Amino acid sequence: MEDFSRRRMLFASGALGAFGVLGAASSARARSLWTWSPNGSVAGRGAGLDPEWVWDEEADPVLAAVIERGDVPKANEALRKWTRNHQPLPSGLPADLRDFMEEARRLPSWADEKKLAAAAQFTKKKGIYTGALYGLGSGLMSTAIPREARAVYYSKGGADMKDRIAKTAQLGYDVGDLDAYQPQGGMVVTAVKTRLVHAAVRHLLPQSPGWSRTNGGQTVPISQADIMVTWHSLSTFVMRKLKDWKVPVSAAESDGFLHVWQVTAHMLGVQDEYIPASWDEAHAQSRQVLDPVLASTPEGVELTDVLLDIVAELDAGLTRPLINAFSRYTLGDRTGDLIGLDREPFWQPLIGAAWPLLVAFREGLIPRPLVPEAAWTVEEAIRRFVLLFLSEGRGIRLEIPDTNRPA
């Protein structure tokens, strides 16, 4: 396995020339931080290689070849016909891409149907919380993750953020769908197409002058470590906030929610040795890979502003101060400051007092008279946002990019 790791490093530095030296220095710093043991993973074992130097060995060469041959338009035209898990792969796909996708669409042997069903029921019951946390928590947190913010900003999707957000919403919508990994569902399709997009971005982004100037020495974007950072900003963060908000979650619901995200990580190409087997392991890994990397970047601040402008389309901007305040309540002032969220002296204390009462009322813990009238304004704004978030995710085409963000 040591030779295997060296081959990865030689490939990265050789293929990308001058980036290799910078990447080696950057990776050495990151490598010293990686101590999480694969014994705590769904695999229960592993080589323990630093995920900073692991990408997607199955998908990456295939997508690089598809792009270099000029087959992206042909592949995307075929992929538009594949929308449900049970459908055969469409005709017209390049042979190498088709062969890869036939393997990539298979669920892991450890996928548990009962746990996946429990996850779907959990999202059905707690959708207003998870929707708000995905959109106004995880979505905005992503702009405080420097690598993610820069990868989004300089890739093709960064030029049309509304489309980019809609595609992100597709993942959040499909992972919580009642039929997510059932034959009639769409999560296998969404995960595999997202994996293709990631592989394409890994090939394209090192060619971007903007990304190359700001990448902090990373040789190839979207490593396994980067994917797990994003994974924690979704699954682990959401579960932690649900507990902070005192939302009742049964053991079966908690296990199911973790499991649907474990399966999703696998379907996105993450090696099983990096996928936490329990919430305790997830929180331990999150403290190591997510918490220390949050930082401010010009790209992240600009993306935050774009995201909030999209939210403002709900009502010509009237609820933007409320959304600012709710996001600060959800993310905390430190992250709010990193991404440039305005402070809202009226809404912040109101939300801090009203939201716990709304949660308690929704969960049948207190009667309606104990909830202040202003709280219903907060709930309505969040409800409308969640409906927008979910509806934006429907019918979106996830397509392979063949270029970076235009200059």
Side-chain angles (χ1 to χ4, degrees), residues 252-269:
E253 291 169 338
S254 177
D255 289 347
F257 186 70
L258 174 63
H259 191 66
V260 76
W261 279 106
Q262 290 169 331
V263 172
T264 299
H266 176 96
M267 297 301 291
L268 290 172

Side-chain angles (χ1 to χ4, degrees), residues 57 61 179 208 230 237 309 313 334 365 391:
E57 294 181 334
D179 298 324
S208 163
T230 301
F237 168 76
D309 281 345
E313 293 179 12
R334 175 177 174 264
L365 301 176
S391 65

Side-chain angles (χ1 to χ4, degrees), residues 8 37 40 67 69 125 212 238 363 372:
R8 283 197 185 103
S37 170
I67 292 169
R69 292 196 307 261
K125 289 166 57 180
S212 300
V238 167
E363 300 303 323

Side-chain angles (χ1 to χ4, degrees), residues 46-47 57 75 93 110 114 121 125 132 154 189 200-201 230 234 239 248 264 293 307 353 362 372 380 407:
E57 294 181 334
L93 287 170
W110 43 265
K114 289 184 179 178
Q121 291 300 322
K125 289 166 57 180
Y154 291 109
V189 174
V201 170
T230 301
L234 292 157
M239 184 52 67
T264 299
V293 305
L307 292 175
R362 279 187 154 274
E380 177 62 13

